[in-house]
């Protein structure tokens, strides 16, 4: 049986059209985009074309896009760049209990420099209550950072509502949209955000490239200081090769129609699991406010790692972590209040544009044979 890949939330393959767009830059257009001569002109033009493609995907202006090395750097730039901005008026940050480590770790780091951080809770489905965000605001709050969609359970947050609260109080608002870009609409004016992070390898682009949307007029202290690239927001010679890859992937992602097919496959998967396992399988995350490709389920009384260990040719992720031989419940599921008996059996299946119906049916059969 050919191996089956159901871990698209971890990383996506490079789309053939993206690879084709990048190919010329492996051989030609090698000039430094900032050099200003004949060798740099094609690279500069490609870089700016890609910037426009990324901007168009989220409804931004091209000069509001900063190319980064990925989603983690984009998150760090948004959070640390805000905190270290000259003349900031406070040192309080609000985030959620289920953020990606690329948000939680920078917040912990900033506590060493005097920041105070409030982690608002989530409900049993993984959703933040906007009123909790409102209640957490103080006169010292300088940033709210809430992810658009959770990487483990796929739950989509009420970003628009939180954005309205942020605007009411004049507080900068950031969202980590690494998991949502290309799967659901991520237009910045609909979301009401000032900063939005993108990760290329979640979007059928290569690893090593991402972007941060920075609303016009928002000042950020750079993480990387140098020659003033990216309008002074991120020093370092830009890679036309990687930017072209992200731009091509962004152009493809404008069409969300393929995600309806993915949603149908995911729902078929979930229905089949319920038919086979009944109340011995539980959905983790919100039933409707959820990414169309994500299915996080718990096999009650089982260990997710043990199940996947018997499906060595199926790539998926478990909802627990093994440290020194001890399996621990995922912090996301723990924050959601998922009981350990249920959470330890969690597996995240995340589908993509290349997933087939036959692959889903095969995985269901394999799982049913294990019971």
């Amino acid at each position: 049986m050919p191996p089956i890949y159901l871990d698209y939330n971890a990383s996506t393959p490079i789309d053939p059209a993206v690879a084709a767009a990048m190919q010329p830059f492996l051989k030609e257009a090698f000039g430094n985009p900032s050099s200003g001569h004949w060798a740099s002109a094609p690279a500069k033009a490609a870089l700016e074309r890609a910037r426009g493609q990324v901007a168009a995907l989220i409804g931004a202006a091209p000069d509001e896009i900063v190319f980064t090395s990925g989603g983690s750097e984009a998150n760090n730039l948004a959070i640390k760049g805000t905190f270290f901005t000259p003349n900031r008026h406070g040192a309080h940050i609000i985030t959620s209990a289920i953020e990606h480590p690329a948000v939680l770790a920078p917040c912990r780091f900033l506590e060493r420099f005097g920041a105070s951080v409030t982690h608002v809770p989530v409900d049993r489905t993984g959703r933040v209550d906007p009123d909790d965000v409102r209640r957490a605001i103080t006169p010292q709050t300088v940033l709210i950072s809430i992810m658009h969609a959770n990487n483990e359970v796929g739950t989509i947050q009420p970003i628009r509502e939180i954005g309205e609260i942020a605007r009411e109080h004049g507080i900068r608002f950031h969202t980590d949209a690494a998991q949502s870009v290309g799967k659901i609409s991520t237009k910045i004016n609909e979301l009401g955000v000032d900063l939005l992070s993108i990760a290329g390898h979640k979007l059928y682009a290569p690893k090593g490239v991402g972007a941060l949307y920075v609303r016009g007029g928002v000042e950020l202290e750079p993480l990387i200081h140098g020659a003033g690239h990216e309008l002074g927001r991120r020093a370092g010679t830009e890679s036309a090769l990687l930017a072209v890859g992200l731009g091509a992937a962004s152009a493809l992602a404008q069409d969300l129609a393929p995600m309806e097919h993915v949603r149908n496959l995911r729902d078929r998967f979930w229905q089949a699991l319920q038919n086979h396992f009944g109340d011995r399988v539980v959905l983790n995350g919100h039933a409707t406010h959820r990414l169309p490709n994500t299915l996080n389920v718990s096999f009650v009384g089982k260990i997710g790692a043990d199940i996947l260990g018997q499906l060595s040719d199926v790539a998926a992720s478990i909802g627990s972590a093994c440290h020194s031989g001890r399996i621990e419940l995922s912090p996301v599921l723990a924050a959601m209040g998922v009981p350990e008996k249920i959470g330890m059996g969690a597996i995240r299946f995340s589908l993509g544009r290349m997933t087939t119906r036959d692959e889903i049916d095969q995985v269901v059969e394999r799982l049913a044979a294990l019971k």
Side-chain angles (χ1 to χ4, degrees):
M1 180 185 299
I4 297 173
Y5 189 76
L6 295 178
D7 206 15
Y8 282 81
N9 283 9
S11 196
T12 58
I14 297 176
D15 188 280
V18 173
M22 295 173 64
Q23 188 63 34
F25 295 87
L26 293 170
K27 302 176 182 178
E28 306 158 4
F30 56 84
N32 186 324
S34 301
S35 291
H37 50 60
W38 67 265
S40 69
K44 179 66 173 178
L47 182 74
E48 295 312 318
R49 184 168 58 252
R51 196 185 307 277
Q53 290 172 314
V54 176
L57 176 60
I58 62 172
D63 64 1
E64 294 176 314
I65 300 300
V66 180
F67 285 116
T68 68
S69 63
S72 290
E73 184 189 330
N75 287 339
N76 273 261
L77 177 55
I79 296 167
K80 295 176 184 175
T82 293
F83 185 82
F84 289 118
T85 299
N87 304 316
R88 62 174 167 79
H89 66 267
H92 178 233
I93 299 170
I94 298 171
T95 189
S96 85
I98 61 166
E99 296 296 312
H100 190 276
V103 166
L104 296 176
C107 289
R108 284 196 302 270
F109 170 79
L110 291 177
E111 288 178 321
R112 293 158 49 186
F113 294 86
S116 61
V117 181
T118 298
H119 299 86
V120 295
V122 294
D123 63 18
R124 182 64 173 78
T125 70
R127 291 261 288 182
V128 169
D129 184 341
D131 286 335
D132 284 340
V133 175
R134 187 189 299 275
R135 285 188 287 268
I137 292 172
T138 77
Q140 297 298 308
T141 305
V142 293
L143 179 69
I144 299 170
S145 180
I146 305 291
M147 65 185 357
H148 192 192
N150 183 260
N151 48 298
E152 287 192 33
V153 297
T155 296
I156 300 168
Q157 300 299 340
I159 295 299
R160 184 198 298 263
E161 292 88 337
I162 297 171
E164 291 173 355
I165 293 169
R167 284 194 301 277
E168 287 173 14
H169 292 81
I171 298 169
R172 190 174 295 184
F173 183 32
H174 165 250
T175 191
D176 176 358
Q179 289 295 341
S180 55
V181 170
K183 298 171 186 169
I184 57 177
S185 176
T186 50
K187 299 297 185 183
I188 45 97
N189 287 331
E190 294 175 4
L191 298 176
V193 297
D194 302 300
L195 302 155
L196 181 146
S197 299
I198 298 172
H201 76 109
K202 312 290 189 182
L203 189 62
Y204 303 90
K207 297 170 181 63
V209 65
L212 178 67
Y213 157 74
V214 183
R215 185 179 293 278
V218 170
E219 184 183 3
L220 289 176
E221 180 67 23
L223 293 182
I224 304 172
H225 298 88
H229 305 84
E230 297 293 295
L231 297 179
R233 298 170 297 192
R234 200 260 190 186
T237 301
E238 302 96 337
S239 169
L241 171 73
L242 293 175
V244 164
L246 182 58
S250 297
L252 290 174
Q254 289 264 29
D255 181 12
L256 292 175
M259 295 312 298
E260 279 308 304
H261 173 65
V262 174
R263 184 194 302 274
N264 290 335
L265 286 179
R266 182 206 64 185
D267 292 346
R268 175 186 178 87
F269 195 180
W270 173 228
Q271 186 60 58
L273 290 177
Q274 288 180 295
N275 291 341
H276 280 288
F277 292 95
D279 59 6
R280 290 178 296 146
V281 66
V282 175
L283 178 70
N284 296 314
H286 202 284
T288 55
H289 295 294
R290 179 162 47 110
L291 291 174
N293 78 313
T294 304
L295 180 65
N296 188 308
V297 295
S298 285
F299 296 89
V300 181
K302 304 291 185 179
I303 302 296
D306 292 344
I307 295 173
L308 282 185
Q310 299 179 69
L311 303 177
S312 59
D313 54 353
V314 176
S317 294
I318 58 172
S320 57
C322 183
H323 300 287
S324 301
R326 184 177 183 274
I327 298 176
E328 298 177 355
L329 183 64
S330 154
V332 169
L333 297 182
M336 289 167 54
V338 176
E340 188 168 295
K341 179 181 178 181
I342 294 175
M344 298 296 274
I347 299 177
R348 181 194 69 190
F349 299 100
S350 47
L351 289 60
R353 295 202 301 246
M354 289 79 165
T355 304
T356 68
R357 176 172 172 171
D358 184 58
E359 288 177 326
I360 294 302
D361 292 346
Q362 286 185 46
V363 173
V364 171
E365 289 178 11
R366 295 281 303 282
L367 288 166
L370 297 179
K371 64 180 181 178

